[in-house]
mmCIF file of all heavy atoms in Angstrom:
data_model
loop_
_atom_site.group_PDB
_atom_site.id
_atom_site.type_symbol
_atom_site.label_atom_id
_atom_site.label_comp_id
_atom_site.label_asym_id
_atom_site.label_seq_id
_atom_site.Cartn_x
_atom_site.Cartn_y
_atom_site.Cartn_z
ATOM 1 N N CYS O 1 -4.884 -1.146 9.693
ATOM 2 C CA CYS O 1 -3.898 -1.512 10.716
ATOM 3 C C CYS O 1 -4.582 -1.588 12.076
ATOM 4 O O CYS O 1 -5.497 -0.814 12.365
ATOM 5 C CB CYS O 1 -2.764 -0.483 10.795
ATOM 6 S SG CYS O 1 -1.764 -0.349 9.298
ATOM 7 N N LYS O 2 -4.116 -2.525 12.890
ATOM 8 C CA LYS O 2 -4.628 -2.645 14.250
ATOM 9 C C LYS O 2 -3.564 -3.301 15.121
ATOM 10 O O LYS O 2 -2.548 -3.821 14.617
ATOM 11 C CB LYS O 2 -5.909 -3.468 14.274
ATOM 12 C CG LYS O 2 -5.740 -4.922 13.847
ATOM 13 C CD LYS O 2 -7.061 -5.673 13.904
ATOM 14 C CE LYS O 2 -6.872 -7.136 13.516
ATOM 15 N NZ LYS O 2 -8.172 -7.883 13.587
ATOM 16 N N VAL O 3 -3.780 -3.270 16.426
ATOM 17 C CA VAL O 3 -2.878 -3.954 17.346
ATOM 18 C C VAL O 3 -2.997 -5.454 17.109
ATOM 19 O O VAL O 3 -4.094 -6.019 17.111
ATOM 20 C CB VAL O 3 -3.212 -3.611 18.808
ATOM 21 C CG1 VAL O 3 -2.375 -4.456 19.759
ATOM 22 C CG2 VAL O 3 -2.968 -2.127 19.072
ATOM 23 N N GLN O 4 -1.869 -6.096 16.861
ATOM 24 C CA GLN O 4 -1.899 -7.515 16.523
ATOM 25 C C GLN O 4 -2.219 -8.393 17.725
ATOM 26 O O GLN O 4 -2.937 -9.384 17.619
ATOM 27 C CB GLN O 4 -0.538 -7.916 15.917
ATOM 28 C CG GLN O 4 -0.533 -9.295 15.285
ATOM 29 C CD GLN O 4 0.133 -10.334 16.163
ATOM 30 O OE1 GLN O 4 0.902 -9.997 17.063
ATOM 31 N NE2 GLN O 4 -0.148 -11.608 15.914
ATOM 32 N N LYS O 5 -1.716 -8.008 18.889
ATOM 33 C CA LYS O 5 -1.988 -8.768 20.108
ATOM 34 C C LYS O 5 -1.764 -7.837 21.294
ATOM 35 O O LYS O 5 -0.739 -7.167 21.373
ATOM 36 C CB LYS O 5 -1.064 -9.982 20.221
ATOM 37 C CG LYS O 5 -1.338 -10.881 21.417
ATOM 38 C CD LYS O 5 -0.317 -12.004 21.497
ATOM 39 C CE LYS O 5 -0.456 -12.962 20.321
ATOM 40 N NZ LYS O 5 0.477 -14.125 20.456
ATOM 41 N N GLY O 6 -2.730 -7.792 22.192
ATOM 42 C CA GLY O 6 -2.577 -6.941 23.361
ATOM 43 C C GLY O 6 -3.664 -5.899 23.463
ATOM 44 O O GLY O 6 -4.781 -6.078 22.964
ATOM 45 N N ASN O 7 -3.336 -4.789 24.084
ATOM 46 C CA ASN O 7 -4.285 -3.723 24.359
ATOM 47 C C ASN O 7 -4.550 -2.890 23.102
ATOM 48 O O ASN O 7 -3.669 -2.184 22.619
ATOM 49 C CB ASN O 7 -3.748 -2.824 25.482
ATOM 50 C CG ASN O 7 -4.803 -1.880 26.016
ATOM 51 O OD1 ASN O 7 -5.739 -1.518 25.323
ATOM 52 N ND2 ASN O 7 -4.637 -1.467 27.259
ATOM 53 N N GLU O 8 -5.763 -2.970 22.568
ATOM 54 C CA GLU O 8 -6.090 -2.268 21.329
ATOM 55 C C GLU O 8 -6.007 -0.754 21.480
ATOM 56 O O GLU O 8 -5.806 -0.033 20.496
ATOM 57 C CB GLU O 8 -7.486 -2.672 20.855
ATOM 58 C CG GLU O 8 -7.583 -4.143 20.429
ATOM 59 C CD GLU O 8 -8.959 -4.495 19.901
ATOM 60 O OE1 GLU O 8 -9.816 -3.577 19.829
ATOM 61 O OE2 GLU O 8 -9.180 -5.665 19.549
ATOM 62 N N SER O 9 -6.152 -0.252 22.713
ATOM 63 C CA SER O 9 -6.103 1.197 22.931
ATOM 64 C C SER O 9 -4.697 1.765 22.784
ATOM 65 O O SER O 9 -4.523 2.985 22.776
ATOM 66 C CB SER O 9 -6.651 1.535 24.330
ATOM 67 O OG SER O 9 -5.790 1.051 25.343
ATOM 68 N N HIS O 10 -3.689 0.898 22.643
ATOM 69 C CA HIS O 10 -2.320 1.376 22.447
ATOM 70 C C HIS O 10 -2.117 1.958 21.042
ATOM 71 O O HIS O 10 -1.127 2.644 20.802
ATOM 72 C CB HIS O 10 -1.322 0.244 22.693
ATOM 73 C CG HIS O 10 -1.149 -0.065 24.140
ATOM 74 N ND1 HIS O 10 -0.350 -1.103 24.605
ATOM 75 C CD2 HIS O 10 -1.659 0.518 25.255
ATOM 76 C CE1 HIS O 10 -0.369 -1.136 25.922
ATOM 77 N NE2 HIS O 10 -1.163 -0.165 26.333
ATOM 78 N N LEU O 11 -3.043 1.680 20.143
ATOM 79 C CA LEU O 11 -3.007 2.283 18.807
ATOM 80 C C LEU O 11 -4.312 3.060 18.627
ATOM 81 O O LEU O 11 -5.356 2.485 18.335
ATOM 82 C CB LEU O 11 -2.869 1.214 17.720
ATOM 83 C CG LEU O 11 -2.851 1.710 16.269
ATOM 84 C CD1 LEU O 11 -1.696 2.662 16.032
ATOM 85 C CD2 LEU O 11 -2.788 0.541 15.302
ATOM 86 N N ARG O 12 -4.237 4.352 18.805
ATOM 87 C CA ARG O 12 -5.448 5.166 18.846
ATOM 88 C C ARG O 12 -5.749 5.884 17.540
ATOM 89 O O ARG O 12 -6.880 6.283 17.290
ATOM 90 C CB ARG O 12 -5.345 6.185 19.992
ATOM 91 C CG ARG O 12 -5.399 5.533 21.375
ATOM 92 C CD ARG O 12 -5.263 6.558 22.480
ATOM 93 N NE ARG O 12 -3.897 7.055 22.596
ATOM 94 C CZ ARG O 12 -2.975 6.507 23.386
ATOM 95 N NH1 ARG O 12 -3.265 5.436 24.115
ATOM 96 N NH2 ARG O 12 -1.755 7.019 23.450
ATOM 97 N N SER O 13 -4.734 6.064 16.698
ATOM 98 C CA SER O 13 -4.987 6.813 15.467
ATOM 99 C C SER O 13 -3.932 6.489 14.405
ATOM 100 O O SER O 13 -2.731 6.488 14.701
ATOM 101 C CB SER O 13 -4.998 8.322 15.762
ATOM 102 O OG SER O 13 -5.200 9.061 14.580
ATOM 103 N N VAL O 14 -4.407 6.218 13.195
ATOM 104 C CA VAL O 14 -3.538 6.013 12.032
ATOM 105 C C VAL O 14 -4.145 6.753 10.844
ATOM 106 O O VAL O 14 -5.331 6.593 10.559
ATOM 107 C CB VAL O 14 -3.379 4.520 11.662
ATOM 108 C CG1 VAL O 14 -2.317 4.366 10.576
ATOM 109 C CG2 VAL O 14 -3.049 3.678 12.866
ATOM 110 N N ASP O 15 -3.338 7.552 10.165
ATOM 111 C CA ASP O 15 -3.772 8.198 8.931
ATOM 112 C C ASP O 15 -3.131 7.481 7.749
ATOM 113 O O ASP O 15 -1.971 7.045 7.827
ATOM 114 C CB ASP O 15 -3.367 9.677 8.915
ATOM 115 C CG ASP O 15 -4.086 10.481 9.986
ATOM 116 O OD1 ASP O 15 -5.221 10.117 10.345
ATOM 117 O OD2 ASP O 15 -3.494 11.466 10.473
ATOM 118 N N PHE O 16 -3.886 7.369 6.667
ATOM 119 C CA PHE O 16 -3.404 6.659 5.479
ATOM 120 C C PHE O 16 -3.339 7.612 4.289
ATOM 121 O O PHE O 16 -4.227 8.436 4.077
ATOM 122 C CB PHE O 16 -4.334 5.486 5.134
ATOM 123 C CG PHE O 16 -4.390 4.414 6.186
ATOM 124 C CD1 PHE O 16 -5.363 4.445 7.173
ATOM 125 C CD2 PHE O 16 -3.481 3.372 6.190
ATOM 126 C CE1 PHE O 16 -5.429 3.463 8.148
ATOM 127 C CE2 PHE O 16 -3.538 2.384 7.154
ATOM 128 C CZ PHE O 16 -4.511 2.431 8.138
ATOM 129 N N TYR O 17 -2.253 7.472 3.506
ATOM 130 C CA TYR O 17 -2.082 8.258 2.280
ATOM 131 C C TYR O 17 -1.591 7.315 1.179
ATOM 132 O O TYR O 17 -0.889 6.360 1.473
ATOM 133 C CB TYR O 17 -1.034 9.370 2.489
ATOM 134 C CG TYR O 17 -1.302 10.270 3.668
ATOM 135 C CD1 TYR O 17 -0.567 10.134 4.839
ATOM 136 C CD2 TYR O 17 -2.288 11.256 3.632
ATOM 137 C CE1 TYR O 17 -0.797 10.953 5.931
ATOM 138 C CE2 TYR O 17 -2.528 12.078 4.718
ATOM 139 C CZ TYR O 17 -1.781 11.920 5.862
ATOM 140 O OH TYR O 17 -2.014 12.725 6.939
ATOM 141 N N PRO O 18 -1.911 7.598 -0.106
ATOM 142 C CA PRO O 18 -2.791 8.677 -0.555
ATOM 143 C C PRO O 18 -4.259 8.344 -0.295
ATOM 144 O O PRO O 18 -4.628 7.177 -0.122
ATOM 145 C CB PRO O 18 -2.509 8.748 -2.059
ATOM 146 C CG PRO O 18 -2.068 7.377 -2.428
ATOM 147 C CD PRO O 18 -1.355 6.839 -1.223
ATOM 148 N N GLY O 19 -5.084 9.378 -0.280
ATOM 149 C CA GLY O 19 -6.518 9.201 -0.086
ATOM 150 C C GLY O 19 -6.832 8.467 1.193
ATOM 151 O O GLY O 19 -6.360 8.800 2.269
ATOM 152 N N ASN O 20 -7.591 7.414 1.049
ATOM 153 C CA ASN O 20 -7.974 6.614 2.208
ATOM 154 C C ASN O 20 -7.168 5.328 2.316
ATOM 155 O O ASN O 20 -7.613 4.353 2.909
ATOM 156 C CB ASN O 20 -9.476 6.287 2.144
ATOM 157 C CG ASN O 20 -9.863 5.607 0.833
ATOM 158 O OD1 ASN O 20 -9.035 5.468 -0.068
ATOM 159 N ND2 ASN O 20 -11.096 5.179 0.726
ATOM 160 N N GLY O 21 -5.960 5.338 1.736
ATOM 161 C CA GLY O 21 -5.075 4.181 1.868
ATOM 162 C C GLY O 21 -5.387 3.055 0.916
ATOM 163 O O GLY O 21 -5.601 1.907 1.329
ATOM 164 N N THR O 22 -5.419 3.351 -0.377
ATOM 165 C CA THR O 22 -5.694 2.325 -1.384
ATOM 166 C C THR O 22 -4.602 2.315 -2.454
ATOM 167 O O THR O 22 -3.926 3.315 -2.679
ATOM 168 C CB THR O 22 -7.053 2.561 -2.081
ATOM 169 O OG1 THR O 22 -7.056 3.864 -2.674
ATOM 170 C CG2 THR O 22 -8.206 2.438 -1.095
ATOM 171 N N PHE O 23 -4.460 1.167 -3.102
ATOM 172 C CA PHE O 23 -3.563 1.016 -4.249
ATOM 173 C C PHE O 23 -4.401 1.199 -5.512
ATOM 174 O O PHE O 23 -5.202 0.324 -5.861
ATOM 175 C CB PHE O 23 -2.901 -0.364 -4.238
ATOM 176 C CG PHE O 23 -1.928 -0.566 -3.115
ATOM 177 C CD1 PHE O 23 -2.347 -1.134 -1.919
ATOM 178 C CD2 PHE O 23 -0.597 -0.209 -3.250
ATOM 179 C CE1 PHE O 23 -1.452 -1.340 -0.876
ATOM 180 C CE2 PHE O 23 0.305 -0.409 -2.221
ATOM 181 C CZ PHE O 23 -0.122 -0.975 -1.025
ATOM 182 N N ASP O 24 -4.237 2.329 -6.175
ATOM 183 C CA ASP O 24 -5.067 2.629 -7.341
ATOM 184 C C ASP O 24 -4.860 1.596 -8.447
ATOM 185 O O ASP O 24 -3.745 1.121 -8.679
ATOM 186 C CB ASP O 24 -4.754 4.033 -7.874
ATOM 187 C CG ASP O 24 -5.852 4.563 -8.778
ATOM 188 O OD1 ASP O 24 -5.976 4.071 -9.925
ATOM 189 O OD2 ASP O 24 -6.593 5.455 -8.335
ATOM 190 N N LEU O 25 -5.942 1.286 -9.150
ATOM 191 C CA LEU O 25 -5.898 0.276 -10.205
ATOM 192 C C LEU O 25 -4.981 0.658 -11.359
ATOM 193 O O LEU O 25 -4.480 -0.216 -12.076
ATOM 194 C CB LEU O 25 -7.318 0.033 -10.754
ATOM 195 C CG LEU O 25 -8.369 -0.456 -9.759
ATOM 196 C CD1 LEU O 25 -9.709 -0.629 -10.472
ATOM 197 C CD2 LEU O 25 -7.953 -1.757 -9.094
ATOM 198 N N MET O 26 -4.741 1.960 -11.559
ATOM 199 C CA MET O 26 -3.985 2.386 -12.745
ATOM 200 C C MET O 26 -2.535 1.908 -12.729
ATOM 201 O O MET O 26 -1.858 1.954 -13.759
ATOM 202 C CB MET O 26 -4.038 3.909 -12.892
ATOM 203 C CG MET O 26 -3.340 4.680 -11.798
ATOM 204 S SD MET O 26 -3.485 6.465 -12.087
ATOM 205 C CE MET O 26 -2.753 7.129 -10.604
ATOM 206 N N TYR O 27 -2.033 1.452 -11.575
ATOM 207 C CA TYR O 27 -0.651 0.979 -11.510
ATOM 208 C C TYR O 27 -0.526 -0.513 -11.867
ATOM 209 O O TYR O 27 0.558 -1.092 -11.749
ATOM 210 C CB TYR O 27 -0.085 1.230 -10.119
ATOM 211 C CG TYR O 27 -0.074 2.698 -9.754
ATOM 212 C CD1 TYR O 27 -0.999 3.225 -8.860
ATOM 213 C CD2 TYR O 27 0.841 3.569 -10.343
ATOM 214 C CE1 TYR O 27 -1.006 4.579 -8.551
ATOM 215 C CE2 TYR O 27 0.842 4.924 -10.048
ATOM 216 C CZ TYR O 27 -0.086 5.426 -9.144
ATOM 217 O OH TYR O 27 -0.096 6.765 -8.843
ATOM 218 N N TYR O 28 -1.605 -1.100 -12.318
ATOM 219 C CA TYR O 28 -1.617 -2.523 -12.638
ATOM 220 C C TYR O 28 -2.249 -2.732 -14.005
ATOM 221 O O TYR O 28 -3.083 -1.937 -14.434
ATOM 222 C CB TYR O 28 -2.411 -3.294 -11.563
ATOM 223 C CG TYR O 28 -1.886 -3.050 -10.176
ATOM 224 C CD1 TYR O 28 -2.486 -2.099 -9.342
ATOM 225 C CD2 TYR O 28 -0.760 -3.730 -9.708
ATOM 226 C CE1 TYR O 28 -1.990 -1.851 -8.078
ATOM 227 C CE2 TYR O 28 -0.260 -3.481 -8.441
ATOM 228 C CZ TYR O 28 -0.876 -2.544 -7.626
ATOM 229 O OH TYR O 28 -0.379 -2.293 -6.381
ATOM 230 N N PRO O 29 -1.856 -3.803 -14.716
ATOM 231 C CA PRO O 29 -0.887 -4.826 -14.296
ATOM 232 C C PRO O 29 0.568 -4.389 -14.498
ATOM 233 O O PRO O 29 0.839 -3.445 -15.230
ATOM 234 C CB PRO O 29 -1.215 -5.995 -15.224
ATOM 235 C CG PRO O 29 -1.733 -5.339 -16.470
ATOM 236 C CD PRO O 29 -2.487 -4.122 -16.010
ATOM 237 N N TYR O 30 1.438 -5.108 -13.837
ATOM 238 C CA TYR O 30 2.886 -4.933 -13.992
ATOM 239 C C TYR O 30 3.360 -5.891 -15.075
ATOM 240 O O TYR O 30 2.966 -7.063 -15.087
ATOM 241 C CB TYR O 30 3.567 -5.221 -12.661
ATOM 242 C CG TYR O 30 5.070 -5.325 -12.705
ATOM 243 C CD1 TYR O 30 5.858 -4.265 -13.136
ATOM 244 C CD2 TYR O 30 5.712 -6.487 -12.291
ATOM 245 C CE1 TYR O 30 7.234 -4.363 -13.168
ATOM 246 C CE2 TYR O 30 7.093 -6.593 -12.305
ATOM 247 C CZ TYR O 30 7.849 -5.534 -12.749
ATOM 248 O OH TYR O 30 9.214 -5.638 -12.774
ATOM 249 N N TYR O 31 4.224 -5.402 -15.974
ATOM 250 C CA TYR O 31 4.614 -6.196 -17.133
ATOM 251 C C TYR O 31 6.020 -6.790 -17.052
ATOM 252 O O TYR O 31 6.474 -7.415 -18.002
ATOM 253 C CB TYR O 31 4.482 -5.361 -18.407
ATOM 254 C CG TYR O 31 3.045 -5.124 -18.814
ATOM 255 C CD1 TYR O 31 2.370 -3.982 -18.410
ATOM 256 C CD2 TYR O 31 2.357 -6.056 -19.585
ATOM 257 C CE1 TYR O 31 1.040 -3.764 -18.764
ATOM 258 C CE2 TYR O 31 1.034 -5.851 -19.950
ATOM 259 C CZ TYR O 31 0.386 -4.714 -19.530
ATOM 260 O OH TYR O 31 -0.935 -4.510 -19.889
ATOM 261 N N GLY O 32 6.714 -6.596 -15.947
ATOM 262 C CA GLY O 32 8.042 -7.189 -15.812
ATOM 263 C C GLY O 32 9.160 -6.187 -16.032
ATOM 264 O O GLY O 32 8.997 -5.178 -16.728
ATOM 265 N N LYS O 33 10.321 -6.478 -15.447
ATOM 266 C CA LYS O 33 11.424 -5.517 -15.442
ATOM 267 C C LYS O 33 12.032 -5.266 -16.814
ATOM 268 O O LYS O 33 12.652 -4.226 -17.035
ATOM 269 C CB LYS O 33 12.515 -5.988 -14.479
ATOM 270 C CG LYS O 33 13.174 -7.302 -14.857
ATOM 271 C CD LYS O 33 14.233 -7.693 -13.824
ATOM 272 C CE LYS O 33 14.927 -8.992 -14.190
ATOM 273 N NZ LYS O 33 15.947 -9.376 -13.192
ATOM 274 N N PHE O 34 11.882 -6.195 -17.758
ATOM 275 C CA PHE O 34 12.499 -6.010 -19.076
ATOM 276 C C PHE O 34 11.752 -4.979 -19.921
ATOM 277 O O PHE O 34 12.364 -4.254 -20.709
ATOM 278 C CB PHE O 34 12.568 -7.335 -19.833
ATOM 279 C CG PHE O 34 13.574 -8.304 -19.268
ATOM 280 C CD1 PHE O 34 13.168 -9.475 -18.662
ATOM 281 C CD2 PHE O 34 14.934 -8.028 -19.328
ATOM 282 C CE1 PHE O 34 14.088 -10.361 -18.131
ATOM 283 C CE2 PHE O 34 15.865 -8.899 -18.797
ATOM 284 C CZ PHE O 34 15.434 -10.076 -18.194
ATOM 285 N N THR O 35 10.435 -4.910 -19.770
ATOM 286 C CA THR O 35 9.654 -3.980 -20.589
ATOM 287 C C THR O 35 9.058 -2.823 -19.782
ATOM 288 O O THR O 35 8.853 -1.743 -20.316
ATOM 289 C CB THR O 35 8.513 -4.715 -21.315
ATOM 290 O OG1 THR O 35 7.705 -5.406 -20.354
ATOM 291 C CG2 THR O 35 9.069 -5.707 -22.311
ATOM 292 N N HIS O 36 8.797 -3.038 -18.507
ATOM 293 C CA HIS O 36 8.237 -1.987 -17.660
ATOM 294 C C HIS O 36 9.384 -1.322 -16.904
ATOM 295 O O HIS O 36 9.416 -1.301 -15.669
ATOM 296 C CB HIS O 36 7.222 -2.598 -16.691
ATOM 297 C CG HIS O 36 5.945 -1.825 -16.608
ATOM 298 N ND1 HIS O 36 4.758 -2.379 -16.187
ATOM 299 C CD2 HIS O 36 5.650 -0.528 -16.900
ATOM 300 C CE1 HIS O 36 3.803 -1.472 -16.211
ATOM 301 N NE2 HIS O 36 4.322 -0.344 -16.639
ATOM 302 N N VAL O 37 10.300 -0.735 -17.646
ATOM 303 C CA VAL O 37 11.601 -0.349 -17.097
ATOM 304 C C VAL O 37 11.518 0.784 -16.076
ATOM 305 O O VAL O 37 12.325 0.856 -15.154
ATOM 306 C CB VAL O 37 12.579 0.027 -18.232
ATOM 307 C CG1 VAL O 37 12.954 -1.195 -19.044
ATOM 308 C CG2 VAL O 37 11.979 1.098 -19.148
ATOM 309 N N ASN O 38 10.586 1.709 -16.227
ATOM 310 C CA ASN O 38 10.498 2.842 -15.306
ATOM 311 C C ASN O 38 9.421 2.664 -14.239
ATOM 312 O O ASN O 38 9.083 3.611 -13.528
ATOM 313 C CB ASN O 38 10.223 4.137 -16.085
ATOM 314 C CG ASN O 38 11.405 4.553 -16.930
ATOM 315 O OD1 ASN O 38 12.553 4.372 -16.535
ATOM 316 N ND2 ASN O 38 11.145 5.095 -18.111
ATOM 317 N N TYR O 39 8.900 1.461 -14.136
ATOM 318 C CA TYR O 39 7.805 1.205 -13.195
ATOM 319 C C TYR O 39 8.260 1.431 -11.753
ATOM 320 O O TYR O 39 9.299 0.929 -11.329
ATOM 321 C CB TYR O 39 7.327 -0.237 -13.354
ATOM 322 C CG TYR O 39 6.145 -0.606 -12.486
ATOM 323 C CD1 TYR O 39 4.849 -0.304 -12.889
ATOM 324 C CD2 TYR O 39 6.323 -1.257 -11.266
ATOM 325 C CE1 TYR O 39 3.757 -0.652 -12.107
ATOM 326 C CE2 TYR O 39 5.238 -1.604 -10.480
ATOM 327 C CZ TYR O 39 3.964 -1.294 -10.907
ATOM 328 O OH TYR O 39 2.881 -1.642 -10.127
ATOM 329 N N THR O 40 7.490 2.221 -11.020
ATOM 330 C CA THR O 40 7.721 2.401 -9.591
ATOM 331 C C THR O 40 6.467 1.941 -8.859
ATOM 332 O O THR O 40 5.359 2.418 -9.156
ATOM 333 C CB THR O 40 8.030 3.872 -9.242
ATOM 334 O OG1 THR O 40 7.192 4.736 -10.015
ATOM 335 C CG2 THR O 40 9.475 4.213 -9.534
ATOM 336 N N SER O 41 6.647 1.024 -7.946
ATOM 337 C CA SER O 41 5.508 0.429 -7.253
ATOM 338 C C SER O 41 4.727 1.480 -6.480
ATOM 339 O O SER O 41 5.319 2.337 -5.812
ATOM 340 C CB SER O 41 5.999 -0.646 -6.275
ATOM 341 O OG SER O 41 6.632 -1.695 -6.953
#
């Protein structure tokens, strides 16, 4: 994340969770709502 337009110093700190802010591979692939019924993104 960063300031989209303007003074970059207006955003000085962002923490990301979980870990370092990644989407773990184990949640993919998604198989569709009919068969992947309990899937939570």
Side-chain angles (χ1 to χ4, degrees):
C1 296
K2 64 180 182 179
V3 173
Q4 191 257 340
K5 184 184 294 184
N7 192 334
E8 294 183 2
S9 68
H10 285 176
L11 179 60
R12 291 179 286 269
S13 178
V14 188
D15 294 330
F16 296 93
Y17 306 104
N20 55 355
T22 57
F23 292 93
D24 198 287
L25 300 180
M26 66 180 174
Y27 299 105
Y28 305 97
Y30 170 60
Y31 287 93
K33 63 181 181 180
F34 289 112
T35 56
H36 226 157
V37 291
N38 291 324
Y39 183 83
T40 40
S41 297

